[in-house]
Amino acid sequence: MTPLLQVQDIAKFYGARRGCEDVSFDLYPGEVMGIVGESGSGKSTLLSCLAGYLPPDRGEVIFDTRADGPRDTLSMSEPERRMLMRTDWAFVHQHARDGLRMGVSAGGNVGERLMAVGARHYGDIRDQAVDWLGRVEIAADRVDDKPQAFSGGMQQRLQIARNLVTGPRLVFMDEPTGGLDVSVQARLLDLLRGLVREMGLSAIIVTHDLAVVRLLADRLMVMKDGRVVEDGLTDQVLDDPQHGYTQLLVSSVLQV
Amino acid sequence: MDAMIEIEGLGKSFTLHNQGGAVIPVMAGAHLLVARGECVALTGTSGAGKSTLMRMIYGNYRASSGRIMVGETDIARAAPREIIALRREVLGYVSQFLRVVPRVPTREVVAEPLLTLGVERPEAIARAEALLARLNIPQALWSLSPTTFSGGEQQRVNIARGFAHAFPALLLDEPTASLDAANREVVMGLIEEAKARGAAIIGIFHDEAARARVCDREVDVGAFAPGRAA
């Protein structure tokens, strides 16, 4: 099987300071990988490099494109990469307002991404938008409301609908449940798990919440000071951590 | 003999980096052979390493040395995605504790292994409901999350989930521990049916009568203590 994403030797420096370095891994279709580490460990820098938001200083991010097979996304032309980001890739931001257009209705937010890939028929776009709002548990009578009128959890679900409506194959998520109430988090986790399974999505999830990765991720990468210190099967890394830093991280979680 | 699970020269030690780098060897030279249709009980005193061995077979603990063959896969060397595929299709595990996403209804929790395998939803739900009924979980609870259930009910939900798919290999960690006589009998029946269809089973049973009834052999894990292995 060809990996969906092959990451080779990614490095990013901010001046002399290391953002991330020596990061390599393969992600296969249907796999969900978690990246954990404390603030400043380089996990968000790495995600931005992978998703094309930040140019790395070194390395390759090879994506198995539908049309041409494996291609290095870093050496693609700008229009090509933007097309990829609108179709096969999706990015769920921690703050929904970074991923939504706050002045546009909920239906418009979802429909806009469909139009970006060529949908033109208004009735179809609206139907699909309503269908997707339903899948993320937003009632059809809210389709014309703007995201400002939504709660934080609803905004996050709307952002997910906007991202998944084009049927992407790879989703990048940056702290998708950060800043939400725990009850809202649980609902969102359940939703994400169902969507990942039904759509066969691959995902890379950056979080500092070990409970989130245990429930969502098949594999786990632990970062410290910009480097990967341990990786493997999620439950194995959490239950039998090999590296001193991972042991510290796991043993620091408060039990409820 | 048609071996489904084959363990050779298995060793395990824990290194505690934050406690002076202490290295604690817990197992050496472990070996075990389980055929299709056979149920083997792991025995030994508390702390002898029964659960550790079981967790290594499931890939939850990393083996320090040796080989753990389940079917064609060596768990000790397999990549995460190979272990995930094995757990989805071949190797089931009923742990002592249920771990679920909050808010997910019980029938979904039980049907999930089947849905993950691509079984059609109505069929998966029907199988889940049949198992829940057989394990005497009241129908009124099926649409609720099991997080608020009693210990015994959670354990039965866990068993239903573990037996939803007909795994060729099964690991059972005290499946009858907190069950009443009637439910214990149901679990015995599930284990006997799994054996009859050719599943290889490794179990930890503190209940001696249960062990004597379903297990073909006992293996004392104490023999794999470091320093005792030849």
Side-chain angles (χ1 to χ4, degrees), chain B residues 147-181:
Chain B
T147 42
T148 55
F149 291 6
S150 74
E153 283 164 347
Q154 290 198 5
Q155 193 186 8
R156 280 178 278 146
V157 171
N158 214 12
I159 290 165
R161 181 179 158 92
F163 280 89
H165 168 53
F167 286 108
L170 263 175
L171 307 172
L172 308 175
D173 194 349
E174 301 213 38
T176 57
S178 51
L179 300 184
D180 58 36

Side-chain angles (χ1 to χ4, degrees), chain A residues 193 235 239-240 242 247, chain B residues 12 15 60 62 87 112:
Chain A
R193 248 162 78 108
D235 60 79
D239 293 338
D240 185 17
Q242 308 290 309
Q247 292 181 357
Chain B
K12 173 69 183 165
T15 306
N60 179 232
R62 199 175 283 198
R87 288 176 177 182
E112 196 191 18

Side-chain angles (χ1 to χ4, degrees), chain B residues 100-185:
Chain B
V100 294
V101 182
R103 217 184 69 105
V104 178
T106 295
R107 64 158 71 77
E108 296 280 333
V109 168
V110 176
E112 196 191 18
L114 294 170
L115 295 171
T116 308
L117 273 169
V119 174
E120 290 299 323
R121 189 168 184 85
E123 192 188 330
I125 295 289
R127 172 130 180 88
E129 291 182 345
L131 274 162
L132 287 168
R134 192 167 165 192
L135 284 154
N136 302 302
I137 302 287
Q139 194 166 349
L141 300 183
W142 296 355
S143 56
L144 306 178
S145 162
T147 42
T148 55
F149 291 6
S150 74
E153 283 164 347
Q154 290 198 5
Q155 193 186 8
R156 280 178 278 146
V157 171
N158 214 12
I159 290 165
R161 181 179 158 92
F163 280 89
H165 168 53
F167 286 108
L170 263 175
L171 307 172
L172 308 175
D173 194 349
E174 301 213 38
T176 57
S178 51
L179 300 184
D180 58 36
N183 282 310
R184 186 174 152 279
E185 195 54 36

